[in-house]
Amino acid sequence: MVGLVSCTTLRDHGQDVHTVKVAEELIKRDILVLSLGCGNAALQVAGLCSPEAVHKAGPGLQEVCKALGTPPVLSFGTCTDTGRLADLICMVSEALGGVPVPDLPMAACAPEYMEQKATIDAIFALAFGLYTYVNPVPPVTGAPNLVKLLTEDIRGITGGLLNVERDAVKAAEGIHQHIEAKRKGLGL
Ligand code: SF4
């Protein structure tokens, strides 16, 4: 499962193009997407929040969606509803017997972040212990110690990790590998 919290930005791609592409690549890899923020509207317009979009999902996610009659991308609210997402993650953790958040097969994703609330969402996700994908490249590259903290050292502090990637397929593949590793760790 991925919590996708997105604004929309023209910095690297056309409006909403990267958000839609990342969501499509995730569901293709059997990853359920919970969508929040302004980018959620893009996923609705693209039809991904409709049950008819089930054919775009991988076979495993298709099976779940068909059994429940749900779409592969669930509209989950605004970018300030991340507290609900955190509650859901805690419920999943408890259902699995108290698995720590960094060990869950989940990730946070902000394919077109633009504004400060989305930035805080990403910092929250990292503090919460989640693998966190963001695009475009944050304007922190002039601070090498901060880059090292966010992309390397934070794993040993909170369990989270920041991944930055402009290519949607590579971004989805990175998330997929993270989730599969965590599934393997839990024997799922
Ligand atoms: S931070 Fe602003 S632009 Fe981004 S999703 Fe939230 S309300 Fe929309």
Side-chain angles (χ1 to χ4, degrees):
M1 186 174 89
V2 160
L4 185 153
V5 187
S6 205
C7 310
T8 180
T9 176
L10 300 175
R11 206 159 103 192
D12 283 349
H13 306 272
Q15 182 171 357
D16 299 324
V17 170
H18 192 63
T19 294
V20 172
K21 180 73 174 164
V22 168
E24 286 179 341
E25 291 295 329
L26 289 174
I27 63 174
K28 195 193 290 181
R29 289 166 174 77
D30 285 330
I31 297 170
L32 176 68
V33 173
L34 303 183
S35 168
L36 302 88
C38 295
N40 183 32
L43 300 183
Q44 292 174 350
V45 171
L48 298 178
C49 298
S50 305
E52 292 72 28
V54 71
H55 69 277
K56 294 192 171 185
L61 183 55
Q62 276 200 28
E63 206 174 314
V64 173
C65 291
K66 284 176 182 169
L68 299 175
T70 54
V73 176
L74 299 177
S75 181
F76 209 69
T78 72
C79 63
T80 52
D81 286 327
T82 44
R84 292 171 59 215
L85 207 50
D87 285 344
L88 179 66
I89 291 171
C90 288
M91 289 172 72
V92 173
S93 164
E94 284 168 18
L96 291 172
V99 175
V101 170
D103 295 336
L104 291 170
M106 295 179 175
C109 170
E112 290 188 40
Y113 87 89
M114 182 269 292
E115 206 241 37
Q116 59 266 45
K117 276 183 286 178
T119 306
I120 292 301
D121 283 345
I123 296 297
F124 164 73
L126 288 168
F128 202 44
L130 292 169
Y131 177 104
T132 303
Y133 164 66
V134 302
N135 180 76
V137 177
V140 298
T141 50
N145 288 344
L146 179 57
V147 171
K148 186 167 177 296
L149 170 67
L150 295 173
T151 59
E152 295 176 37
D153 299 345
I154 198 167
R155 179 170 264 171
I157 301 171
T158 69
L161 194 69
L162 183 73
N163 180 42
V164 181
E165 172 56 61
R166 285 189 167 129
D167 182 87
V169 174
K170 287 182 186 168
E173 199 47 46
I175 293 170
H176 187 216
Q177 284 174 11
H178 166 79
I179 286 178
E180 284 302 322
K182 296 302 173 184
R183 282 170 54 89
K184 198 172 172 189
L186 294 174
L188 296 174

